[in-house]
Amino acid sequence: MKAFVMREIGRVGFMEKPVPQAGPGDAVVQTIRALICTSDSHTVQGGIGPRENLTLGHKAVGVVHAVASEVKDFRPGDRVLVGAITPEWGDRASQNGLPSQSGAPLVGFKFVNSKDGVFVDYFHVNEADANLAKIPDAISDEWRSTAQTCSRPASWGRRRGTSRLAEPWLSSPRARWD
């Protein structure tokens, strides 16, 4: 599957990656819409340090593709919202009200920090029952995706097998495009 990645600091492009597998308690979600956040451009500029071939993006709406047997609240086909922070909820920091710090500073912010993000056809979500939210079908994908952020996002969509990234970000003078 195609993924939009940070190849190295200051350089982005597309590459092929395998569809992830759901581990115990986890889910795999098919991206329907994902939002570009200013932190994505900071990441490409080196804001979290060097990364190679890391899939970008951390805010998405999608459809559950697969779940592990331990997942109780979600099934394939459910339309979901996935937040930027997907912590390990049993961690002491999460239990003390600091979910973005679960495991270590900013490790609860897993997408793009410690694992691949959501600018891809399918992505992995740890602790699915705690880190996914069902979205009613009456709410459009556009409204679902804008519920993710208070900023003015650009959207990346998956429509009929094609992916489009937001034009303003692609024309950024700071990112080299492959």
Side-chain angles (χ1 to χ4, degrees):
M1 69 180 172
K2 288 263 190 229
F4 186 67
V5 302
M6 177 177 130
R7 294 197 180 276
E8 61 188 29
I9 292 176
R11 192 169 149 238
V12 297
F14 284 98
M15 71 179 297
E16 288 292 324
K17 290 208 172 182
V19 174
Q21 301 297 308
D26 301 343
V28 174
V29 175
Q30 178 184 13
T31 305
I32 298 300
R33 293 225 184 246
L35 302 176
I36 295 173
C37 176
T38 55
S39 60
D40 294 309
S41 60
H42 293 293
T43 298
V44 171
Q45 294 169 20
I48 60 171
R51 303 289 194 273
E52 291 184 9
N53 298 323
L54 179 73
T55 304
L56 293 167
H58 57 272
K59 298 175 183 179
V61 294
V63 175
V64 174
H65 173 70
V67 295
S69 61
E70 300 87 353
V71 175
K72 303 212 180 326
D73 298 331
F74 298 91
R75 296 289 169 257
D78 287 345
R79 299 177 75 79
V80 294
L81 178 133
V82 185
I85 308 297
T86 56
E88 305 296 334
W89 287 98
D91 181 80
R92 174 180 271 170
S94 295
Q95 293 295 308
N96 288 329
L98 301 167
S100 67
Q101 311 302 317
S102 73
L106 296 180
V107 173
F109 180 63
K110 293 183 183 312
F111 296 126
V112 183
N113 187 2
S114 61
K115 73 178 193 178
D116 280 332
V118 302
F119 292 170
V120 65
D121 293 324
Y122 297 90
F123 62 93
H124 172 267
V125 178
N126 60 294
E127 294 192 21
D129 284 333
N131 288 321
L132 293 175
K134 286 184 186 174
I135 305 296
D137 286 335
I139 298 174
S140 72
D141 290 336
E142 289 80 9
W143 278 103
R144 291 175 201 182
S145 61
T146 55
Q148 284 279 7
T149 184
C150 294
S151 66
R152 296 176 65 192
S155 66
W156 176 79
R158 185 179 181 283
R159 294 274 195 234
R160 296 186 179 104
T162 63
S163 300
R164 293 175 296 156
L165 264 105
E167 201 58 41
W169 196 81
L170 290 177
S171 61
S172 167
R174 295 187 179 248
R176 263 188 21 236
W177 179 251
D178 289 344

